[in-house]
Amino acid sequence: MTGMPAPEPSRGWSADSLPWLLAGLMGVSTLALVAGPGWSSLPARVLLLLGFIALAAHLLRGKGRQFFNGPVAYLAAGSLLLLVVLALFASEIAPQNPYDLRQLDIMDGRLPPGSTTFDGAMTYRLGTDEQGRDILSGILYGLRVSLSVAIVATLVAMAIGIVVGIYAAWAGGRTEAILMRLVDLQLSFPSILVALMLMAAFGRGLDKVVIALIIVQWAYYARTVRGTALSEARKEYIDAARGLGLPVRRIIFRHLLPNCIPPLLVISTVQIANTIVLESSLSFLGVGVPITRPSLGLLIANGYDYMLSGQYWMSMYPGVALLAIVASINLVGDRLRDTLNPRLRR
Amino acid sequence: MTVLQVEGLQTHFFTDAGVVKAVDGVDFSLDEGEVLGLVGESGSGKSVTGFSILRLVDPPGRVVGGHIMFRGQDLAQLPESEMRRLRGNRIAMIFQDPMMTLNPVLRIDTQMIEAVRAHERVSAKAARDRAISALAKVGIPSPAERLGAYPHQFSGGMRQRVAIAIALLNGPDLIVADEPTTALDVTIQSQILAEVQDLARDTGTALIWITHDLAVVAGLADRVAVMYAGRIVETGPTDAVLAGPDHPYSVGLLGSIPGHGQRGQRLAQIPGMAPNMADLPPGCAFAPRCFRADARCRAEAPEITVRGSGGRLRCHHPMSAGEVAT
Amino acid sequence: MLVYLLRRIAQSVFVALAMMVIVFFGIYMIGNPVDILISPDATPREIEETMARFGFDQPIHIQFFTFVGNALQGDLGRSFVHGESAVTLILHYMPATLELAALGLFFSILIGVPLGVYAGYKSDRWQGRAIMTGSIFGFSLPNFWVGMLLILIFAVELRWLPSTGRGDTVEVLGIRLSIFSENGLQYMILPALTLALYKASLVTRLARAGTQEALVQDYVKFARAKGVSETRILFVHVLKNIMIPIVTVLGLELGSMIAFAVVTETVFAWPGMGKLLIDSILTLDRPVIVAYLMMTVLIFIVINLVVDIVYTILDPRVRLTGGST
């Protein structure tokens, strides 16, 4: 390291801006991927995977042993990595493109797991749905939809929450009071209800789900960030920075943000899992993602009607995938919270 | 008749930083109706000794050696279920901070009646009557009405009286009192001391009174044991020890009490700090702070020597060197 | 105490009014209600008449004041689909949801408290860790997924319990309830369990944290010194202390339980107000959606008040300071 050592508490711009930058990078690339053409770009997806791994490695630097404290941690981290890879490279791995109607054969509808196509060219390892869609392929693509919707919504909500929270903390007075009342009002209602109302107003659609999920979450981040910002602002080094005559913007970016963001990233891990659950619930209720881009929740809803008649696989396997992704994110998030940041426990 | 005989008691704490020998070879015995004052600085192991007798040492602490003979049974070897039957029944304990020892959300009657019914199959009515008479005994006015109150409705002194009443409920043979008056006002402290002394005399209950305050011991205890760094460094009849302490540490403790006729004089102090229990010096643990210490003290821990007055001492250089018996 | 209560009530009224504004303008965005009220081949004159009858031809702020005026008189409009008063409709469906939420709450305490206390007691052992990992799974399982699984196992495979629907009801004080009939209760078990699982995980975590904290307190050690058994220490001394935060949180969560009943009721075809809401959203039945939201706000406000009162009963320290004013 050359140059001036950073002041101890803020740890400086260079080291702590990294997760922030990586998160931004991930958000933007995921957004690009969701938008459509990006999914076909292999380099973009490889970049995204590398960003994901780099972010994880950065968060855990020097604390790997503490994080991997038992078999559960290894299992959760491993399955999370596996599921992310499966989602990212679904189009390479899946035996069928479930969005391409020409590949579907309605005659192959509702086949049990292990059946093969009429010509024997392909085996439906997890069976097919009522339109003859391969469940395994549907799951892989659905995983992609569920994950990207949740990650984008969470990261954007986090960005909005950071801006509003820091603004409220910095502005103080009436502005702060009004903003925080608004936050309180929204948080006093269960997220599912708010999201349901928004989707009722918006109608189905990928972008609409993302917007609804952002609106549902921003308030939570705003409250957390404001709290952290206030407690950080009270610390001496902020006073010291002010005393040195540093401009407000510089104090926010060099001192407040680097201290607020690592704990937020930990929270957002668990929040992504919650968002996946929320999105899947909306889709299950028929007010979420469109039928043309089924998420795991919608796949489960589609198969639900056949479950009582014993054709369990249409709902069951997407359900297992949903459980796997949510549980592994939650387990990893729980370990992260324990390892990195016990003070922001909910 | 001997109620309690402790021999070579060792209680160690197995922490990440190493083994802390909080109590390391403590011996003493106690007769019926006798009051023993266990004196020492904080961290000397006196409270841990008390908790070891009831086998209530919190993990990572553990009684690792020695015998605690109580009425012919070795408490150190007793199964937990039998130990539970003794606690609060034959051996009771009073804690230091009366604000913390009573459960804040349970009424006094609940907390007293359960102490009776944990050991005897009596009716709730009988247990209640016993609770009322115990409260009356410790000087709580209109005990029957006060039973229905919650702890926060009592003052600190009153709460400690309630705790003492609970300890008395089953007529124990031994009460271990862990600095029960430290957290109280001086006036209340002396009231409670007087009452406890009367109660011990009336019922024949043996009492171990743990304190850092030699002045308390002077008025209360029949015998005194001075603890330092997990060991008893000097023990003997209270009068003898207070009048002519032999261990330099006892001398220091006595010197730091303000007394009559010393107005305007500087109080004597023991130089240095209480020792780090995880890293004790090889010889006598007090040597680094002792004004009489020499090379032998720093190299070799002193063994117990029996004194003429029936006292015992761990010191190479006692204050009254000529009287050493061995 | 009285001052405090009055201030709380004033606060609640403000929240209710704010929600009224948000709900009205929010719902205004949902589709054009005329589309579903009038057949596509109606004449322009018929459309105009219908618009006038429902007041849709008025400017939005007039519509709003009419809405508030009616709402204050307990009238939130008529359902487009059912033709009934929306409030009556919600009230008709509400008991089914409330009894489901109540049973769910009961289950979550029944499951969560013992598990949490045990996990706190054995927090360093594998039992404690296993329970905590299990509770993460409880958090992870989406509501509808749990319901589906329970139906698959207990209704389809084992055939122990009925899968969907409500079963027999008994009329209690003019309200039809399932919880008091054996058949009805059987229908309730699976949906209530589904609803309970998430909260049970929450309770487990709360109870564990509380137990760990309580176990190192002096009063626990003193209880041990009295010779009180470990069971009694855990389930009297510790439990009484940790129930305060648990009841507070759970009381506040009753509201979210009613909200989550939307999903559970859909899975189990349970005829409660959550299912009514989903059906109304899908058919754009605006007055029913509004009525649901306003009723839910009301329930939330009442719950918050009740939790405060229960809290004072459970914690004698709060009661004393409250009573002395």
Side-chain angles (χ1 to χ4, degrees), chain C residues 112-113 167:
Chain C
V113 168

Side-chain angles (χ1 to χ4, degrees), chain B residues 51 56 58 84 87-88 93 95 100-101 103 105-106 111 114-115 118-119 150 152 166, chain C residues 217-219 221-222 224-229 232 236-237 240-241 244 316-317 319-320:
Chain B
F51 283 115
L56 281 177
D58 287 322
R84 186 191 71 69
R87 279 187 211 124
M93 186 153 181
F95 287 41
M100 309 295 288
T101 43
N103 193 326
V105 297
L106 295 179
Q111 302 193 46
E114 72 175 0
H119 302 290
Y150 285 94
H152 65 91
I166 290 176
Chain C
Q217 298 293 321
D218 264 5
Y219 62 77
K221 213 171 186 184
F222 188 61
R224 286 197 176 123
K226 290 194 292 189
V228 175
S229 69
R232 192 176 157 88
V236 176
H237 286 261
K240 191 90 194 278
N241 272 283
I244 295 165
R317 284 161 296 189
R319 183 166 54 199
L320 191 79

